[in-house]
Amino acid sequence: MADALLIDCDPGIDDMIALLVACAGPELDLVGVSTVGGNAGLARTTRNARAVLALAGRADIPVAAGAARPLVRSSTGFGAHVHGEDGLGGIDLPTPPGGPDPRHGAAFLADSIRAASRPVTLVAIGPLTNIALLYATFPDAAARLARLVVMGGSVGTGNITRAAEFNIWWDPEAAHRVLTDPGVEVPTTQVTLDLTLRCTLPDAAVARLRAGGPVGARCADALDFYGRAYREQGSGDVTPVHDAIAVLAALRPELIRSRPARVLVDTTTGAERGATTVEAGRAGPVAVADDGDVPALLDEVVRRLSRLDR
Ligand code: RIB
Ligand code: CA
């Protein structure tokens, strides 16, 4: 039996791609999903996570809603400018029957880790609020994690501001807790914008997905919206599948290149708020993954999405 995988997310179009890539397995077995506000409000990201899992035929995977707001300071707004008001580019996936797990996302993660009879990897692809709450409230459970993979931060420039990447910017205090001062020993990989911005699906790949079946067609529709949003904000003809790369860092770590670093997060209220930096010349507890085999990673994304339409 494969090791267990938990995902904390804020779907979000690239979160949708990431969840579907995770469902295509087989290296890790997705056993639970928690949600956080970010790309859209919490009710939306939770609904979207359940709808995306149902699209993959995995409505059996429990989803628990976590934090709606950052720990300390509320950022202004969500990611609607990139992901649409509904968070999924208006593709309007059907809502599966039933509802989310009644537990708070952080408690759900803790219970899922404690209940696991095999190693658990947690992949965080939204703001880190739930992970910080897990570390602060349930350190015994957090300490049992085999690995944490985070999509967030950058070594170079940001995307939501010149300095900061969106997931970190939305809750910098949470990111400080998780990346700089965790209080628990969890092998952590930080997949940064420096790699993920290079991971954009070519039009031909999106066309192949569209022709492949219902799952690929919904992904193509969402990616069309995503690409238009990036073009309209002057970012060029790109559809960076940030979150899917973080999931692949857990499924296929050999495709990612990282180096040990001590990561610092700017938690001031100035222009650099949410920026992540690595202390020069110092190894540290976090493996910063700012490079990888981009063609192979993109092939893996398309191959796994296509597998869901077979
Ligand atoms: O900066 C990219 C990250 O912010 C991704 O997780 C995307 O979904 C948004 O949440
Ligand atoms: Ca996300």
Side-chain angles (χ1 to χ4, degrees):
M1 175 186 278
D3 290 353
L5 172 65
L6 292 167
I7 294 179
D8 185 77
C9 56
D10 62 333
I13 291 170
D14 62 321
D15 302 71
M16 168 181 173
I17 303 298
L19 286 170
L20 294 173
V21 163
C23 287
E27 296 85 350
L28 290 174
D29 179 18
L30 183 59
V31 297
V33 172
S34 52
T35 54
V36 63
N39 285 325
L42 181 64
R44 263 292 172 198
T45 60
T46 304
R47 180 201 170 285
N48 290 345
R50 298 189 64 243
V52 170
L53 291 172
L55 176 67
R58 294 304 312 274
D60 60 296
I61 296 174
V63 174
R69 302 177 68 233
L71 291 181
V72 177
R73 299 176 191 278
S74 273
S75 51
T76 48
F78 299 107
H81 59 298
V82 173
H83 299 271
E85 288 304 321
D86 71 334
L88 290 182
I91 62 170
D92 196 21
L93 292 180
T95 308
D101 186 290
R103 289 168 286 183
H104 184 281
F108 170 80
L109 291 174
D111 289 348
S112 302
I113 295 164
R114 291 190 189 108
S117 57
R118 46 190 163 152
V120 178
T121 295
L122 172 57
V123 177
I125 52 177
L128 292 173
T129 315
N130 289 336
I131 315 307
L133 289 170
L134 170 68
Y135 280 22
T137 318
F138 309 106
D140 63 298
R144 293 174 57 171
L145 278 171
R147 189 178 178 205
L148 171 71
V149 179
V150 169
M151 191 283 131
S154 63
V155 175
T157 58
N159 59 354
I160 188 70
T161 68
R162 179 194 53 74
E165 178 278 325
F166 179 83
N167 287 340
I168 308 298
W169 170 84
W170 204 83
D171 194 342
E173 286 78 9
H176 170 85
R177 179 57 191 256
V178 173
L179 296 173
T180 307
D181 184 15
V184 287
E185 295 278 325
V186 177
T188 299
T189 300
Q190 177 196 1
V191 178
T192 70
L193 272 184
D194 313 276
L195 169 57
T196 64
L197 276 174
R198 294 160 48 203
C199 298
T200 184
L201 286 178
D203 291 346
V206 177
R208 218 163 58 237
L209 286 175
R210 187 183 304 285
V215 174
R218 307 318 305 271
C219 290
D221 291 343
L223 288 165
D224 283 352
F225 180 98
Y226 194 48
R228 279 196 305 276
Y230 268 93
R231 278 193 298 277
E232 285 162 13
Q233 65 180 16
S235 302
D237 200 11
V238 292
T239 53
V241 286
H242 307 283
D243 295 339
I245 303 308
V247 166
L248 285 173
L251 299 178
R252 295 290 307 276
E254 74 280 8
L255 298 180
I256 301 287
R257 283 191 283 282
S258 64
R259 65 188 191 280
R262 177 163 161 67
V263 175
L264 301 177
V265 181
D266 186 307
T267 56
T268 66
T269 54
E272 302 293 308
R273 179 168 173 76
T276 58
T277 52
V278 296
E279 274 200 295
R282 272 194 68 177
V286 177
V288 172
D290 57 354
D291 195 7
D293 184 341
V294 170
L297 287 163
L298 291 175
D299 285 348
E300 281 298 309
V301 171
V302 176
R303 192 167 65 81
R304 290 162 190 265
L305 293 180
S306 305
R307 192 184 291 161
L308 295 173
D309 269 326
R310 283 191 200 129

